[in-house]
Amino acid sequence: MESWVEIVSAIFIYIGVIFLVISSVGIIRLPDFYIRMSAITKAATLGIGFIVTGITIYFNEVVIMNKSITIILFMLLTSPVAAHVIARAAFRNRVLFWEKTIIEEFKPYLKEHGAMPETNVDKADLPGKKQ
Amino acid sequence: MNAFHISLIVAISVISICLIMVMIRFFKGPTLPDRVTAFDLFSANIIGITAIYAVLTDNTSVMDVAIILSLISFLGAMSFAYYLNK
């Protein structure tokens, strides 16, 4: 029979593994680079946070708790910054948006910077004109 | 070898399947930013495997590897973004 510490730690680790599975399915299934970015950043950070919390509960030491807080703080600090920087670099390199992305309010900015190819803007126009 | 260790090995196997899915996106990705984000998620999965491995072997010094990995993945993403902006 396992102790309560092991059961609670295993529950936390499995919640984290489920979040990592969600983000890994999202990077395959989602249609657009910018949508995939949101799946990666949020779900992976939360998954690693849960896994490290479960490990802290299992070891029950102050040193491990400091290391876990360091890992979670680094992930919370660096993950949004890296996602923002890569998304801005992709936007400047004219990576295409998804066809069904709503970019009505965004369009003057895109035309001003020349970051949107004309064909993609026309495709985004089509459903609005039909209705 | 009790049930807790078996559940940890199952968790590592599930994250390994996630690594295979990320590698599919890494080979298929149409553009370079797709591959950079796939690398980011790949290193996040490896941090999870390393952290579970620390429990599996009762070796607490493996946690340092997870800290270093979380720093290096940020460095890789930032350097690729710098290369893309150039």
Side-chain angles (χ1 to χ4, degrees), chain A residues 48-123:
Chain A
I48 289 176
F50 270 111
I51 288 177
V52 170
T53 308
I55 286 161
T56 311
I57 291 170
Y58 175 76
F59 277 118
N60 200 7
E61 293 174 9
V62 179
V63 180
I64 300 299
M65 190 187 73
N66 287 332
K67 287 177 184 177
S68 309
I69 289 174
T70 310
I71 290 176
I72 294 173
L73 261 183
F74 275 143
M75 290 301 294
L76 285 179
L77 273 178
T78 61
S79 177
V81 174
H84 178 256
V85 168
I86 293 172
R88 203 179 59 170
F91 178 75
R92 285 187 179 171
N93 281 315
R94 305 182 183 190
V95 174
L96 291 183
F97 281 82
W98 191 30
E99 295 171 3
K100 294 176 185 173
T101 308
I102 300 172
I103 52 172
E104 289 297 324
E105 303 169 353
F106 203 38
K107 213 183 288 177
Y109 179 77
L110 294 175
K111 281 182 180 172
E112 180 187 346
H113 288 265
M116 177 64 73
E118 287 301 320
T119 60
N120 203 2
V121 172
D122 293 340
K123 277 180 187 173

Side-chain angles (χ1 to χ4, degrees), chain B residues 11-12 18 22 24 28 42 46 49 52-53 59 68 72 74 77 83:
Chain B
I12 288 183
C18 292
V22 174
I24 290 173
K28 215 172 72 175
F42 194 83
I46 289 180
I49 287 180
I52 296 176
Y53 186 78
N59 190 3
I68 302 297
I72 284 178
F74 175 64
Y83 164 71

Side-chain angles (χ1 to χ4, degrees), chain B residues 26-47:
Chain B
F26 190 84
F27 287 123
K28 215 172 72 175
T31 58
L32 183 58
D34 281 313
R35 297 195 168 94
V36 177
T37 52
F39 167 72
D40 210 348
L41 187 57
F42 194 83
S43 60
N45 282 336
I46 289 180
I47 291 168

Side-chain angles (χ1 to χ4, degrees), chain A residues 5-23 43 46-55 57-58, chain B residues 2-18 48 51-52 55-56:
Chain A
V5 173
E6 290 183 345
I7 292 172
V8 173
S9 161
I11 287 172
F12 268 95
I13 286 174
Y14 269 96
I15 292 172
V17 168
I18 285 169
F19 274 109
L20 282 182
V21 169
I22 287 170
S23 71
L46 198 56
I48 289 176
F50 270 111
I51 288 177
V52 170
T53 308
I55 286 161
I57 291 170
Y58 175 76
Chain B
N2 54 6
F4 181 63
H5 287 269
I6 294 171
S7 69
L8 287 183
I9 290 173
V10 170
I12 288 183
S13 317
V14 172
I15 299 181
S16 306
I17 295 170
C18 292
I52 296 176
V55 178
L56 195 61

